[in-house]
Amino acid sequence: MRQRPPSTRTITVGEMVLEVETWTGPAPRIAPILAVRGLAEGESVIRPQTEALVPLADVVSVRIAGLSTPGVLPQRHGLDDLADGLCAVLDELGLTRVNLCGISHAGEIAYRLAVRHPERLERVVLTGVTGQRRDLLPPGTGAAEMAELMQGPRGRETADYVISAMLCQDPALPVRGRAAMRWALDELVGHVGMTQINLWLRCLELLQDVPERAGVAAPLLAVTGEHDVPCPPADCRALAALSPGSVFATISESDHFVFLTRAGEHLDLTRRFLLDEPLEDLPYVAALERFPHLVACAPS
């Protein structure tokens, strides 16, 4: 059955502008799914995710102007402000409780929503999220200087640094789609304009000022690629260990771009968790650990 096009609207919360798309499921089985979109989530991510999840629930997709779509996000707005803005979107849409999904830097915003507004959530899926500071810029380089470097004679060198900070390039480690992702990032960095560069730098700036980590009350799945570089599995596991009832998992032969290179497996794991189905013995899962109780000193 062909999926109906989404309804779209723009919701303004103070100085934040949020673009909202809602896909209506034919026969919802669970609470609506709120997907916080990141800069890397284009149609190639959204379409298969919608097709996989809309049979379960209505899917609400949110992009934030100045972060994941062109626009202006005032510099003073951090992760907690954005999390509160998402909560205001739920109020505007009349959604009391939702399931929550977020990937990479968008997942960091989703995580703060889960920490600050636990009463609004049924289940939470965070992919490539650590809940702690990450600095992917070259040492001693600010955002403005980085933008100049990417447009100047050192653009290729700077791009290589960025790509190496995101991709697992160790040839001894198996990563599906590594060559294709390297080519895609080379093309993207080589032809991207200043608007996209500024959005990407704003995302990185968000990750430089991160509140202290805390547990999540709702059932949580913290998942990443087994060879993730910017979100090491140990850090992802440590985040899960803060929340009783959480699950930590890694997907085999993948890195930070697991949602692209192993999209089918990532979506299957997400669907199973949202439906509270068994996660054990899945052929694509490299590691799986449940935390029925709070771990006082989680390794990082």
Side-chain angles (χ1 to χ4, degrees), residues 6-265:
S7 63
T8 62
R9 62 185 297 185
T10 299
I11 296 176
T12 302
V13 181
E15 296 177 289
M16 288 180 280
V17 178
L18 303 105
E19 297 182 1
V20 181
E21 293 184 335
T22 302
W23 287 266
T24 302
R29 299 166 57 186
I30 59 176
I33 297 168
L34 174 65
V36 187
R37 298 299 184 189
L39 189 57
E41 292 180 83
E43 188 65 16
S44 64
V45 176
I46 294 174
R47 180 179 293 277
Q49 185 189 82
T50 302
E51 292 175 349
L53 299 181
V54 80
L56 313 182
D58 296 344
V59 178
V60 179
S61 176
V62 179
R63 292 188 180 279
I64 301 171
L67 197 64
S68 50
T69 191
V72 177
L73 179 65
Q75 199 68 30
R76 62 181 172 277
H77 288 325
L79 290 171
D80 282 352
D81 300 303
L82 297 172
D84 292 345
L86 291 174
C87 193
V89 168
L90 298 182
D91 292 337
E92 183 73 18
L93 298 178
L95 299 177
T96 304
R97 292 175 70 88
V98 296
N99 293 286
L100 177 64
C101 297
I103 296 171
S104 192
H105 66 272
E108 300 290 351
I109 303 170
Y111 167 60
R112 295 308 303 174
L113 172 62
V115 169
R116 292 173 66 82
H117 303 282
E119 74 284 354
R120 308 302 294 267
L121 303 178
E122 295 282 350
R123 285 178 169 257
V124 180
V125 180
L126 302 176
T127 303
V129 175
T130 68
Q132 60 187 7
R133 177 188 170 96
R134 279 185 271 169
D135 194 344
L136 302 179
L137 298 177
T141 304
E145 183 182 358
M146 186 70 169
E148 292 181 8
L149 288 173
M150 293 185 72
Q151 293 290 295
R154 292 178 57 193
R156 181 67 266 167
E157 174 189 343
T158 306
D160 286 341
Y161 180 93
V162 172
I163 292 171
S164 66
M166 298 297 294
L167 287 177
C168 173
Q169 300 190 88
D170 185 343
L173 299 176
V175 177
R176 296 193 190 184
R178 173 166 33 211
M181 281 304 307
R182 174 72 201 217
W183 178 86
L185 289 175
D186 276 334
E187 286 292 300
L188 177 65
V189 173
H191 298 91
V192 71
M194 281 305 300
T195 297
Q196 287 293 104
I197 288 176
N198 288 330
L199 288 176
W200 174 73
L201 291 172
R202 187 68 177 93
C203 293
L204 296 189
E205 286 179 331
L206 275 180
L207 302 182
Q208 294 178 326
D209 186 15
V210 178
E212 183 176 354
R213 289 194 296 190
V216 172
L220 165 68
L221 169 63
V223 59
T224 194
E226 68 170 334
H227 304 307
D228 194 323
V229 174
C231 177
D235 290 346
C236 185
R237 179 189 180 277
L239 181 67
L242 294 172
S243 304
S246 67
V247 181
F248 161 69
T250 64
I251 294 178
S252 62
E253 299 183 8
S254 60
D255 61 7
H256 193 67
F257 292 96
V258 59
F259 60 97
L260 292 174
T261 59
R262 303 214 68 179
E265 293 85 352

